[in-house]
């Protein structure tokens, strides 16, 4: 799934990009962390003004983008998003385990804020936005020719083997009086829909990536990123992709999981909605002495093992 994840992100980003909108890759290079070991650092700009709802477009500049910085120490990844909107940030931690989503303490057993919401996401049976639906990616009807996995029938999570789960701890902060609750709910909805679509695609595209080596998927990633940069109308930056880790002293960055976005430029994942009630209203105070935040934990089981190749039926 490590290879499948890289393949899916590159192809998905290319499909979702068009002139003036989409994902521009600014950096993609090895990174060494003293706690998590060798990994890959990426920085992207996501241009999405036309994908924002009308109420959001009214308060952002015409050319609006989000900066995403990610540290991938598979099976642990950290993603920070930031924007030039004031007091707005998104922070995502991801962990992968070989289970059905049964680990309730994967991000630590300490008590969490009462606003934390745990959502179980079924990649086969949860609804996706209609504009993203493709019959070829409907996992209820998809069967892999190379791995013989699928069709995913109701209850598949309890009957399939191998199985793994992608756990996502998502923290959204928007400390602006009058908009906090609305923006935070919208962003969590957007992130959920993106995660659902991406994990569906990772399975639906399995026959395209299951035979790839890490070197092959890195080359695919490099070529696709350059094509995507051109597609949205930017000149492709110099992208260095290699599996040779660099010393941690060669570039600035967090010595371990960053606390949240590191610049004031722009955040990611503002793009598609889903209605869900908020457990309680955000504090409606102008001074916000106790910064607001909203956490979600997403659990996304998938028909793979996180650390091995395809297993016989």
């Amino acid at each position: 799934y490590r290879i499948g994840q890289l393949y899916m992100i590159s192809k998905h980003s290319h499909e979702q990009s068009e002139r003036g909108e989409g994902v521009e890759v600014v950096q993609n290079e090895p990174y060494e962390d003293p706690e998590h070991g060798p990994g890959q650092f990426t920085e992207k700009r996501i241009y999405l003004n036309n994908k924002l709802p009308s109420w959001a477009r009214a308060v952002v500049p015409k050319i609006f983008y989000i900066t995403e910085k990610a540290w991938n120490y598979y099976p642990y990844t950290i993603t920070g998003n930031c924007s030039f909107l004031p007091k707005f940030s998104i922070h995502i931690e991801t962990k992968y385990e070989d289970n059905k989503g049964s680990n309730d303490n994967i991000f630590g057993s300490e008590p969490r804020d009462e606003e934390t919401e745990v959502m179980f996401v079924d990649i086969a049976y949860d609804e996706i936005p209609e504009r993203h639906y493709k019959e070829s990616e409907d996992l209820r009807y998809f069967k892999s020719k190379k791995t013989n996995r699928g069709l995913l029938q109701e209850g598949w999570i309890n009957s399939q083997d191998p199985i793994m789960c992608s756990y996502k701890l998502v923290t959204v902060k928007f400390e602006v009086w009058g908009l906090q609750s609305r923006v935070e709910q919208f962003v969590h909805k957007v992130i959920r829909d993106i995660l659902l679509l991406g994990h569906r695609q990772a399975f639906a595209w399995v026959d395209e990536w299951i035979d790839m080596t890490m070197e092959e998927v890195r080359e695919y990633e490099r070529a696709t990123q350059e094509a995507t940069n051109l597609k949205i109308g930017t000149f492709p930056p110099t992208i260095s992709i290699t599996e040779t880790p660099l010393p941690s002293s060669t570039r600035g960055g967090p010595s371990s999981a960053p606390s949240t976005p590191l610049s004031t430029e722009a955040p990611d994942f503002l793009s598609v909605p889903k209605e869900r009630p908020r457990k309680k209203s955000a504090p409606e105070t102008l001074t916000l002495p106790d910064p607001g935040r909203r956490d979600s934990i997403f659990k996304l089981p998938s028909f793979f093992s996180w650390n091995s190749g395809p297993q016989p039926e």
Side-chain angles (χ1 to χ4, degrees), residues 88-156:
F88 178 37
S89 64
I90 305 170
H91 183 263
I92 303 173
E93 290 183 62
T94 304
K95 292 185 178 182
Y96 302 95
E97 283 191 349
D98 283 340
N99 57 50
K100 304 171 184 178
S102 54
N103 188 349
D104 293 329
N105 296 320
I106 191 167
F107 295 109
S109 56
E110 62 276 1
R112 296 197 175 277
D113 184 272
E114 62 179 329
E115 288 295 327
T116 300
E117 183 175 356
V118 179
M119 282 174 279
F120 198 90
V121 181
D122 187 328
I123 61 173
Y125 287 88
D126 283 4
E127 290 188 12
I128 64 169
E130 187 176 350
R131 66 184 175 278
H132 292 309
Y133 177 82
K134 293 182 181 178
E135 188 175 353
S136 62
E137 296 172 3
D138 191 328
L139 305 185
R140 297 171 298 175
Y141 312 116
F142 168 78
K143 188 172 183 69
S144 165
K145 294 181 175 63
K146 292 185 178 180
T147 68
N148 205 33
R149 297 178 189 171
L151 316 165
L152 297 188
Q153 301 178 348
E154 285 213 59
W156 67 273

Side-chain angles (χ1 to χ4, degrees), residues 63-75:
I63 300 176
F64 175 71
Y65 67 86
I66 290 168
T67 295
E68 173 191 289
K69 295 183 179 182
W71 292 262
N72 188 340
Y73 310 107
Y74 191 89

Side-chain angles (χ1 to χ4, degrees), residues 159-180:
S159 61
Q160 300 297 341
D161 182 51
I163 193 166
M164 59 164 283
C165 185
S166 171
Y167 293 84
K168 305 272 183 179
L169 174 59
V170 180
T171 300
V172 178
K173 295 182 182 180
F174 188 64
E175 300 165 31
V176 177
W177 179 78
L179 288 175
Q180 181 178 20

Side-chain angles (χ1 to χ4, degrees), residues 89-280:
S89 64
I90 305 170
H91 183 263
I92 303 173
E93 290 183 62
T94 304
K95 292 185 178 182
Y96 302 95
E97 283 191 349
D98 283 340
N99 57 50
K100 304 171 184 178
S102 54
N103 188 349
D104 293 329
N105 296 320
I106 191 167
F107 295 109
S109 56
E110 62 276 1
R112 296 197 175 277
D113 184 272
E114 62 179 329
E115 288 295 327
T116 300
E117 183 175 356
V118 179
M119 282 174 279
F120 198 90
V121 181
D122 187 328
I123 61 173
Y125 287 88
D126 283 4
E127 290 188 12
I128 64 169
E130 187 176 350
R131 66 184 175 278
H132 292 309
Y133 177 82
K134 293 182 181 178
E135 188 175 353
S136 62
E137 296 172 3
D138 191 328
L139 305 185
R140 297 171 298 175
Y141 312 116
F142 168 78
K143 188 172 183 69
S144 165
K145 294 181 175 63
K146 292 185 178 180
T147 68
N148 205 33
R149 297 178 189 171
L151 316 165
L152 297 188
Q153 301 178 348
E154 285 213 59
W156 67 273
I157 292 171
N158 295 316
S159 61
Q160 300 297 341
D161 182 51
I163 193 166
M164 59 164 283
C165 185
S166 171
Y167 293 84
K168 305 272 183 179
L169 174 59
V170 180
T171 300
V172 178
K173 295 182 182 180
F174 188 64
E175 300 165 31
V176 177
W177 179 78
L179 288 175
Q180 181 178 20
S181 177
R182 188 175 191 178
V183 170
E184 289 179 358
Q185 288 184 21
F186 172 76
V187 174
H188 276 282
K189 154 62 185 152
V190 166
I191 292 173
R192 181 197 175 279
D193 286 349
I194 291 174
L195 294 176
L196 174 58
L197 177 61
H199 286 73
R200 283 167 65 99
Q201 291 173 330
F203 188 16
W205 298 338
V206 61
D207 288 346
E208 300 174 30
W209 58 259
I210 195 69
D211 295 325
M212 282 185 167
T213 64
M214 182 58 68
E215 292 72 24
E216 288 171 337
V217 79
R218 285 298 186 194
E219 174 56 28
Y220 173 85
E221 184 181 48
R222 183 199 63 77
T224 305
Q225 287 171 356
E226 289 187 355
T228 304
N229 285 357
L230 289 172
K231 187 177 181 182
I232 65 174
T234 63
F235 291 99
T238 301
I239 299 174
S240 170
I241 299 179
T242 170
E243 286 299 296
T244 306
L246 296 176
S248 58
S249 60
T250 61
R251 57 164 283 104
S255 59
S256 60
S259 58
T260 218
L262 303 179
S263 81
T264 56
E265 290 178 328
D268 180 341
F269 290 122
L270 254 226
S271 110
V272 197
K274 168 201 170 214
E275 258 52 81
R276 59 185 171 81
R278 184 173 170 85
K279 290 180 196 163
K280 95 178 196 184

